[in-house]
Amino acid sequence: MQIKMTHILRNRAAWYLLKRKMSRYNCSSCIDVSSDVSIALRNHRPVVALESTIITHGMPYPQNLEVAQQVEETVRKEGAVPATIAIIGGRIKVGLDPEILADFASLNVPAIKTSRRDFPYVLSKGLNGGTTVAGTIMVANTVGIKVFATGGLGGVHRGGETTMDISTDLMELGRNSIAVVSSGIKSILDIEKTLEYLETQGVCVVTYGKNKNFPSFYTSNSGLESPYNVETPTEAAILINKLFEFRMNSGVLLAVPIPEEDAMEGSEIEEAINEALKEAKNRGIKGKEVTPFILNKVMNLTDGKSLTSNIALIKNNAKVAAQVAIELEKLQTGSSKLRTESSKL
């Protein structure tokens, strides 16, 4: 009788754990995970999350669609599965089919820039939304995606000590177990204060390269340093894997410098940023509208060179993220097999 009861309890526990595992990929009545992403997650294949504000607020159509397609293809070429995250008709989508991506990028239906605070409204009204870094981190972590590639992280705005204008990206990275691969912090922000804030949030900041130089989005060196650096996808994956082994409720920022051939001259971009910031202030632009306005103004002031650099660094980040995701999955799959074999002894 005792053996039978033990067998029943073991089966129930196994069923509970299976249901819990399965529910991670269909974890909410608000979320739809595409078939290719769902299959990849179930079969422990590397997946890279991608944001959608670059599509809805980063550049005009059809360039936004072309870049989104190119970034997804970059991830695929490296051997990982891209998962572009967006909100369409009040449904959170993890992975967009080509037709859905094309329709979403056409902007025939306007999209709201969606961070944590915006989800209840956008979902309840059945609207479209472009997920910010913060919004994408939330969704990616919910469905079990471990690596996320973006252009640049939000941060403490210049003058933030007075305005208290601080991006939610930093808080979400501080409370979600995920690796964000970006070219550091957007250079329109206060990078030094942002690094201080990330330290307060317990985020492990690591430069991807031969030194600790922290990148400045359009340029490879901000004049500041990360606490640490790694030089290969394997080394990065080993570091990130410790985040999950230790079950930390915070993330890793892997800061990838823009390739030198795509970087801008520091004084040119700084001059354009200062002029854009001044105009934004004069026009009373605030909140989540500040970053899109400044990026667009900088693009115009640099005759499009800033956008060219932006696109190049996003593709490079996607490539690095895919390589890291592959190595991370190898580590975690190997550890899982080792635990399974040990339990049989």
Side-chain angles (χ1 to χ4, degrees), residues 9-51:
L9 291 173
R10 184 183 293 122
N11 285 344
R12 286 183 177 178
W15 171 241
Y16 170 77
L17 291 172
L18 178 62
K19 281 184 69 178
R20 188 174 179 183
K21 180 180 178 182
M22 296 286 283
S23 68
R24 288 186 71 189
Y25 312 131
N26 297 283
C27 53
S28 168
S29 59
C30 301
I31 301 178
D32 300 321
V33 182
S34 70
S35 58
D36 58 337
V37 173
S38 181
I39 290 170
L41 291 171
R42 293 177 198 275
N43 290 282
H44 305 288
R45 290 183 56 204
V47 179
V48 175
L50 303 168
E51 62 160 297

Side-chain angles (χ1 to χ4, degrees), residues 124-255:
S124 67
K125 295 294 184 180
L127 304 175
N128 284 6
T131 54
T132 63
V133 169
T136 306
I137 287 173
M138 286 173 54
V139 177
N141 190 54
T142 299
V143 300
I145 299 175
K146 306 177 188 74
V147 180
F148 164 33
T150 184
L153 196 68
V156 180
H157 282 253
R158 300 189 188 193
E161 67 276 12
T162 302
T163 64
M164 297 301 292
D165 193 348
I166 302 172
S167 172
T168 314
D169 296 355
L170 307 183
M171 274 74 84
E172 292 307 324
L173 189 50
R175 58 189 173 195
N176 286 279
S177 299
I178 193 167
V180 175
V181 181
S182 81
S183 291
I185 313 300
K186 293 184 178 74
S187 51
I188 63 174
L189 305 170
D190 188 322
I191 297 175
E192 186 171 11
K193 287 186 176 64
T194 300
L195 287 173
E196 287 289 343
Y197 199 92
L198 285 169
E199 180 183 354
T200 301
Q201 291 293 315
V203 176
C204 182
V205 178
V206 186
T207 294
Y208 185 78
K210 295 183 180 299
N211 54 55
K212 297 180 182 179
N213 293 341
F214 190 79
S216 178
F217 199 64
Y218 297 115
T219 61
S220 60
N221 188 358
S222 65
L224 301 166
E225 288 190 343
S226 298
Y228 314 106
N229 71 295
V230 294
E231 298 186 36
T232 67
T234 301
E235 194 178 352
I238 292 171
L239 182 148
I240 294 164
N241 191 44
K242 294 304 176 184
L243 177 84
F244 296 101
E245 285 187 346
F246 193 37
R247 298 183 181 180
M248 296 178 67
N249 294 319
S250 57
V252 170
L253 173 60
L254 188 62

Side-chain angles (χ1 to χ4, degrees), residues 57-133:
H57 293 76
M59 55 193 73
Y61 179 82
Q63 191 176 34
N64 61 345
L65 174 59
E66 294 168 1
V67 172
Q69 292 170 332
Q70 290 166 7
V71 171
E72 286 197 346
E73 187 56 30
T74 297
V75 173
R76 290 192 187 94
K77 281 183 178 179
E78 294 300 321
V81 177
T84 299
I85 294 174
I87 303 173
I88 301 176
R91 302 285 305 173
I92 300 171
K93 304 290 184 179
V94 181
L96 303 181
D97 295 334
E99 298 79 12
I100 295 176
L101 175 60
D103 185 61
F104 180 70
S106 70
L107 302 178
N108 290 327
V109 178
I112 292 177
K113 187 178 179 183
T114 308
S115 188
R116 172 180 280 269
R117 70 167 189 182
D118 308 296
F119 273 88
Y121 181 81
V122 175
L123 298 179
S124 67
K125 295 294 184 180
L127 304 175
N128 284 6
T131 54
T132 63
V133 169

